[in-house]
Structures are given as structure tokens and as C-alpha cells.
Amino acid sequence: MKLICAPMATLSHEAFRCILEYFGGCDEYYTEMINAGSLLTRGPFEKYYLLSGPVPQKIVWQLTGKKTEQLAAAAAVVAEQGGAGVDLNMGCSAPEIYRSGAGIAWMCKPVAETRAMVASVRNSLDRAAGSDASALRLSVKLRLGDENFTEKSFFDFCDMLVDEGVTRLTLHPRTRKEKYRSPPRWEYVRKLSEHFAGKNISVILNGNVTDSVSAAAALSVCPNVDGIMIGRAAVKKPWIFAEIREETGLKSDSGNTISAGPDGIRNNIFIVRNGNGEKQIDLLQIALSYINFVQQYQPEEFWKTRLQRFFMYYCTNFSFAHYAQTQMLNAPDIESSVQRITDYFRKVPEDRYLTASFM
């Protein structure tokens, strides 16, 4: 059973992966959406989307775009970087992405057009591998489709993807217009895993798994899925993968050992023991380390937005979440971010440590 970190714009980058790895990480990390057209321009910031540390072998490159030729060419570029696979984004339903012809728009275009695009990307990956190596896995992250989808149209679409060389499907079981307030239709993930049972096609569940309880609930509906993908909940709780393994008994494909840490430190700097010998998570140390990693692995032009997005979710751990979020969102620079998060825990010291039920 794989536990996978979802692709999240401005979040699924090397700095964030470094934080997760201190808690043992997960089986695979999807990158944030890489715009195929922008990548091919080789602009000054595109190289940062190709950073694959601290565990390059776990990276899945997620591509988005509206043009077949650009997606195929971008697939060849990311294939040069290695990793576990390439993923085509057919699930992003943001209005601007859909209107551009990318994301879930590929589920709404004529099937022949989408088929040709997928085949072109598969061929590009095969050519990039050459004769002496295995091509990267091709996967698709998708939704149920537009509001008028039918069960038949959905499964026909998935069959088409598989016919063209896709070997993993990650389903976020909502339609294009359904937002996060609507419960995900996990039963479609179950049906999808049953549909491809015994055919060497892996099916990954995505949507509303936020802790070990919801993970167990999802698996009770979809017992035969090959993995669970988690996004925003991992930003709030970077230890969520370790917590789920511990509390549900799920075995990780990559083992349950704690990483040495991205900088080679053997001791987990985020776990301390209190006077009673209980393990505790140091929320301040996580925050400061994330700020430091952003400076190391992101261009200065990205620092502010990367910090803002992270702390929007991370601060929900705090007693005065809205106050902390506002402080961090309005921090004008790195120094202010460090000062404000430090000041928060000075004022509310009881928020700094959480008892760890794992590790």
C-alpha cells in the first residue's frame, strides 16, 4: 500500500519534501504542476520545478498543458531527470486552468484528441528511455468528469487511457464543479479498482483523507486500492504519513524507518521528549526549518508565496490559528516571518509541542 504526497501548486517542492522526510516521508512525491509550455521556454525559474531532492527516486513529475506537442516534449525533458514516473494532470478544475484547455479540460475534449495526446506522451517517454532502460511509468490524475458524466462514459475514458499506455490512475472522485465541501464519492474509486483488478493497473484514492480515521474509513469503502494520496492535510501535519502507518498498521512500500534527514542529520530534529519521556513534535522547529529550506531550494522571487501557502494550512494546528495565519500572510520578508512565528510561540508556549502517537 503506497502513501503518496499529492501535487500542490506552490507547495509540492523540494523544501516541503525535506520536512516530510524527517518524519520518514512517503512512498512517492508528486511535483507541483509543471506547465509544459513554460518548461520548454527554459525560463529562469523553470529549473526550480525540476529539483528532485531529497529522494529523486520517489519523484513523479506532474505535467499540465493544453497542447499535445508541448506535453510530449516536456515529458522527454522530465524523463531526463529520472524518477518514478510522469503524471498527466486531468483533474485540476480551477476555472482558469479549465478555460485554457488544460487540467480537467482533457476529460471534456473529443476523446480522439485526448487519446492522441496520451499516445504522444507515451511514445515520447519510450523514446527517451532508449533500448537500455525502462521507460518511466505514465499515470493520470483525474476526476469523474463534467457534471453530465455517466458511469459508462467515465469507465470508457479510463479504458482509453489504459489502452494508450497509462498504468496508474489516481481518482479524485468529484466532478468538475464539485468543490471540497461535497463529500468525495469513494465508491467510484472502489469500482475503478474492481474494474482493473488483475490487469496490472494501479488505482490510487485521493480526496478527504486527513488522518488515520479517515484513511481507515476510505479503505473500508475501497479495500483493494493500491495507495492513498494526501495533499493539504500533509501540509498541516507533515507527520501524517507516519501517523497513518502507525495507527492503521499500513506497511510502507519504502519501509518504516525514519530518514536520516535531507542534510544528513541522523537525529530527528522535530521530535523531542518531555520530562515524562513522552515524544513530542516541535512545531516551532518545523516552521523555522521550512523557512530555511525555502531559502535553500526556491528562488527569492518565490519565497513569499511559498511561505504564505504553507502557513495558511500549518497554522491551523495553533490555538489562535486565524491570528497566526494573518501574521504570517502579512510578513513582508524572511526575517519578519522568522520573528513572527517565534513571537507566536513565545506568547503561546503551550502550542509549541504536540504529543506524538507514533515513531
PDB file of all heavy atoms in Angstrom, residues 62-80:
ATOM      1  N   GLN A  62       4.558  15.877 -12.470  1.00  0.00           N
ATOM      2  CA  GLN A  62       3.213  16.103 -12.989  1.00  0.00           C
ATOM      3  C   GLN A  62       3.215  17.231 -14.013  1.00  0.00           C
ATOM      4  O   GLN A  62       3.636  18.356 -13.721  1.00  0.00           O
ATOM      5  CB  GLN A  62       2.197  16.431 -11.900  1.00  0.00           C
ATOM      6  CG  GLN A  62       0.792  16.312 -12.480  1.00  0.00           C
ATOM      7  CD  GLN A  62      -0.315  16.821 -11.614  1.00  0.00           C
ATOM      8  OE1 GLN A  62      -0.365  17.987 -11.293  1.00  0.00           O
ATOM      9  NE2 GLN A  62      -1.235  15.932 -11.250  1.00  0.00           N
ATOM     10  N   LEU A  63       2.717  16.913 -15.204  1.00  0.00           N
ATOM     11  CA  LEU A  63       2.687  17.878 -16.298  1.00  0.00           C
ATOM     12  C   LEU A  63       1.268  18.359 -16.540  1.00  0.00           C
ATOM     13  O   LEU A  63       0.304  17.591 -16.445  1.00  0.00           O
ATOM     14  CB  LEU A  63       3.214  17.239 -17.582  1.00  0.00           C
ATOM     15  CG  LEU A  63       4.671  16.774 -17.569  1.00  0.00           C
ATOM     16  CD1 LEU A  63       5.007  16.091 -18.887  1.00  0.00           C
ATOM     17  CD2 LEU A  63       5.622  17.948 -17.318  1.00  0.00           C
ATOM     18  N   THR A  64       1.159  19.638 -16.881  1.00  0.00           N
ATOM     19  CA  THR A  64      -0.111  20.197 -17.300  1.00  0.00           C
ATOM     20  C   THR A  64       0.122  21.010 -18.564  1.00  0.00           C
ATOM     21  O   THR A  64       1.222  21.511 -18.794  1.00  0.00           O
ATOM     22  CB  THR A  64      -0.727  21.087 -16.201  1.00  0.00           C
ATOM     23  OG1 THR A  64      -2.036  21.501 -16.591  1.00  0.00           O
ATOM     24  CG2 THR A  64       0.109  22.319 -15.945  1.00  0.00           C
ATOM     25  N   GLY A  65      -0.895  21.114 -19.370  1.00  0.00           N
ATOM     26  CA  GLY A  65      -0.761  21.875 -20.604  1.00  0.00           C
ATOM     27  C   GLY A  65      -1.959  21.652 -21.497  1.00  0.00           C
ATOM     28  O   GLY A  65      -2.775  20.759 -21.260  1.00  0.00           O
ATOM     29  N   LYS A  66      -2.056  22.456 -22.548  1.00  0.00           N
ATOM     30  CA  LYS A  66      -3.208  22.379 -23.439  1.00  0.00           C
ATOM     31  C   LYS A  66      -2.852  21.843 -24.813  1.00  0.00           C
ATOM     32  O   LYS A  66      -3.734  21.553 -25.617  1.00  0.00           O
ATOM     33  CB  LYS A  66      -3.846  23.761 -23.593  1.00  0.00           C
ATOM     34  CG  LYS A  66      -2.913  24.820 -24.190  1.00  0.00           C
ATOM     35  CD  LYS A  66      -3.604  26.169 -24.256  1.00  0.00           C
ATOM     36  CE  LYS A  66      -2.665  27.241 -24.845  1.00  0.00           C
ATOM     37  NZ  LYS A  66      -3.334  28.554 -24.922  1.00  0.00           N
ATOM     38  N   LYS A  67      -1.544  21.711 -25.099  1.00  0.00           N
ATOM     39  CA  LYS A  67      -1.117  21.303 -26.432  1.00  0.00           C
ATOM     40  C   LYS A  67      -0.377  19.968 -26.382  1.00  0.00           C
ATOM     41  O   LYS A  67       0.547  19.782 -25.586  1.00  0.00           O
ATOM     42  CB  LYS A  67      -0.217  22.362 -27.058  1.00  0.00           C
ATOM     43  CG  LYS A  67      -0.925  23.687 -27.320  1.00  0.00           C
ATOM     44  CD  LYS A  67       0.015  24.685 -27.992  1.00  0.00           C
ATOM     45  CE  LYS A  67      -0.708  25.998 -28.298  1.00  0.00           C
ATOM     46  NZ  LYS A  67       0.193  26.983 -28.953  1.00  0.00           N
ATOM     47  N   THR A  68      -0.781  19.075 -27.280  1.00  0.00           N
ATOM     48  CA  THR A  68      -0.194  17.738 -27.328  1.00  0.00           C
ATOM     49  C   THR A  68       1.314  17.785 -27.522  1.00  0.00           C
ATOM     50  O   THR A  68       2.075  17.121 -26.804  1.00  0.00           O
ATOM     51  CB  THR A  68      -0.840  16.925 -28.459  1.00  0.00           C
ATOM     52  OG1 THR A  68      -2.208  16.691 -28.126  1.00  0.00           O
ATOM     53  CG2 THR A  68      -0.121  15.600 -28.668  1.00  0.00           C
ATOM     54  N   GLU A  69       1.763  18.565 -28.488  1.00  0.00           N
ATOM     55  CA  GLU A  69       3.187  18.579 -28.808  1.00  0.00           C
ATOM     56  C   GLU A  69       4.019  19.113 -27.643  1.00  0.00           C
ATOM     57  O   GLU A  69       5.147  18.657 -27.412  1.00  0.00           O
ATOM     58  CB  GLU A  69       3.453  19.386 -30.077  1.00  0.00           C
ATOM     59  CG  GLU A  69       3.068  20.860 -30.013  1.00  0.00           C
ATOM     60  CD  GLU A  69       1.619  21.149 -30.376  1.00  0.00           C
ATOM     61  OE1 GLU A  69       0.798  20.212 -30.359  1.00  0.00           O
ATOM     62  OE2 GLU A  69       1.310  22.319 -30.678  1.00  0.00           O
ATOM     63  N   GLN A  70       3.478  20.053 -26.898  1.00  0.00           N
ATOM     64  CA  GLN A  70       4.220  20.586 -25.749  1.00  0.00           C
ATOM     65  C   GLN A  70       4.286  19.560 -24.623  1.00  0.00           C
ATOM     66  O   GLN A  70       5.336  19.399 -23.990  1.00  0.00           O
ATOM     67  CB  GLN A  70       3.573  21.878 -25.263  1.00  0.00           C
ATOM     68  CG  GLN A  70       3.737  23.050 -26.211  1.00  0.00           C
ATOM     69  CD  GLN A  70       3.105  24.333 -25.679  1.00  0.00           C
ATOM     70  OE1 GLN A  70       2.282  24.297 -24.767  1.00  0.00           O
ATOM     71  NE2 GLN A  70       3.487  25.462 -26.255  1.00  0.00           N
ATOM     72  N   LEU A  71       3.204  18.861 -24.364  1.00  0.00           N
ATOM     73  CA  LEU A  71       3.209  17.846 -23.311  1.00  0.00           C
ATOM     74  C   LEU A  71       4.171  16.717 -23.656  1.00  0.00           C
ATOM     75  O   LEU A  71       4.898  16.230 -22.788  1.00  0.00           O
ATOM     76  CB  LEU A  71       1.796  17.310 -23.102  1.00  0.00           C
ATOM     77  CG  LEU A  71       0.850  18.250 -22.333  1.00  0.00           C
ATOM     78  CD1 LEU A  71      -0.601  17.844 -22.530  1.00  0.00           C
ATOM     79  CD2 LEU A  71       1.206  18.276 -20.850  1.00  0.00           C
ATOM     80  N   ALA A  72       4.199  16.315 -24.898  1.00  0.00           N
ATOM     81  CA  ALA A  72       5.111  15.243 -25.308  1.00  0.00           C
ATOM     82  C   ALA A  72       6.563  15.681 -25.171  1.00  0.00           C
ATOM     83  O   ALA A  72       7.419  14.927 -24.678  1.00  0.00           O
ATOM     84  CB  ALA A  72       4.812  14.824 -26.745  1.00  0.00           C
ATOM     85  N   ALA A  73       6.856  16.904 -25.590  1.00  0.00           N
ATOM     86  CA  ALA A  73       8.227  17.406 -25.492  1.00  0.00           C
ATOM     87  C   ALA A  73       8.635  17.584 -24.032  1.00  0.00           C
ATOM     88  O   ALA A  73       9.771  17.281 -23.648  1.00  0.00           O
ATOM     89  CB  ALA A  73       8.356  18.723 -26.249  1.00  0.00           C
ATOM     90  N   ALA A  74       7.718  18.067 -23.199  1.00  0.00           N
ATOM     91  CA  ALA A  74       8.022  18.260 -21.778  1.00  0.00           C
ATOM     92  C   ALA A  74       8.247  16.922 -21.089  1.00  0.00           C
ATOM     93  O   ALA A  74       9.080  16.808 -20.180  1.00  0.00           O
ATOM     94  CB  ALA A  74       6.891  19.025 -21.101  1.00  0.00           C
ATOM     95  N   ALA A  75       7.519  15.890 -21.514  1.00  0.00           N
ATOM     96  CA  ALA A  75       7.714  14.557 -20.936  1.00  0.00           C
ATOM     97  C   ALA A  75       9.137  14.073 -21.168  1.00  0.00           C
ATOM     98  O   ALA A  75       9.760  13.471 -20.284  1.00  0.00           O
ATOM     99  CB  ALA A  75       6.708  13.575 -21.526  1.00  0.00           C
ATOM    100  N   ALA A  76       9.678  14.358 -22.354  1.00  0.00           N
ATOM    101  CA  ALA A  76      11.063  13.960 -22.640  1.00  0.00           C
ATOM    102  C   ALA A  76      12.037  14.714 -21.752  1.00  0.00           C
ATOM    103  O   ALA A  76      13.045  14.156 -21.299  1.00  0.00           O
ATOM    104  CB  ALA A  76      11.376  14.216 -24.114  1.00  0.00           C
ATOM    105  N   VAL A  77      11.733  15.984 -21.473  1.00  0.00           N
ATOM    106  CA  VAL A  77      12.616  16.796 -20.626  1.00  0.00           C
ATOM    107  C   VAL A  77      12.663  16.237 -19.206  1.00  0.00           C
ATOM    108  O   VAL A  77      13.737  16.038 -18.629  1.00  0.00           O
ATOM    109  CB  VAL A  77      12.158  18.266 -20.614  1.00  0.00           C
ATOM    110  CG1 VAL A  77      12.949  19.067 -19.569  1.00  0.00           C
ATOM    111  CG2 VAL A  77      12.340  18.892 -22.001  1.00  0.00           C
ATOM    112  N   VAL A  78      11.496  15.982 -18.615  1.00  0.00           N
ATOM    113  CA  VAL A  78      11.494  15.496 -17.224  1.00  0.00           C
ATOM    114  C   VAL A  78      12.014  14.068 -17.145  1.00  0.00           C
ATOM    115  O   VAL A  78      12.586  13.669 -16.121  1.00  0.00           O
ATOM    116  CB  VAL A  78      10.096  15.622 -16.577  1.00  0.00           C
ATOM    117  CG1 VAL A  78       9.679  17.077 -16.496  1.00  0.00           C
ATOM    118  CG2 VAL A  78       9.051  14.798 -17.313  1.00  0.00           C
ATOM    119  N   ALA A  79      11.834  13.289 -18.216  1.00  0.00           N
ATOM    120  CA  ALA A  79      12.347  11.916 -18.206  1.00  0.00           C
ATOM    121  C   ALA A  79      13.864  11.898 -18.046  1.00  0.00           C
ATOM    122  O   ALA A  79      14.424  10.958 -17.468  1.00  0.00           O
ATOM    123  CB  ALA A  79      11.930  11.183 -19.475  1.00  0.00           C
ATOM    124  N   GLU A  80      14.531  12.932 -18.540  1.00  0.00           N
ATOM    125  CA  GLU A  80      15.986  13.027 -18.395  1.00  0.00           C
ATOM    126  C   GLU A  80      16.399  13.139 -16.932  1.00  0.00           C
ATOM    127  O   GLU A  80      17.540  12.838 -16.574  1.00  0.00           O
ATOM    128  CB  GLU A  80      16.511  14.234 -19.165  1.00  0.00           C
ATOM    129  CG  GLU A  80      16.361  14.141 -20.675  1.00  0.00           C
ATOM    130  CD  GLU A  80      16.788  15.424 -21.363  1.00  0.00           C
ATOM    131  OE1 GLU A  80      17.138  16.392 -20.649  1.00  0.00           O
ATOM    132  OE2 GLU A  80      16.774  15.465 -22.604  1.00  0.00           O
TER     133      GLU A  80
END
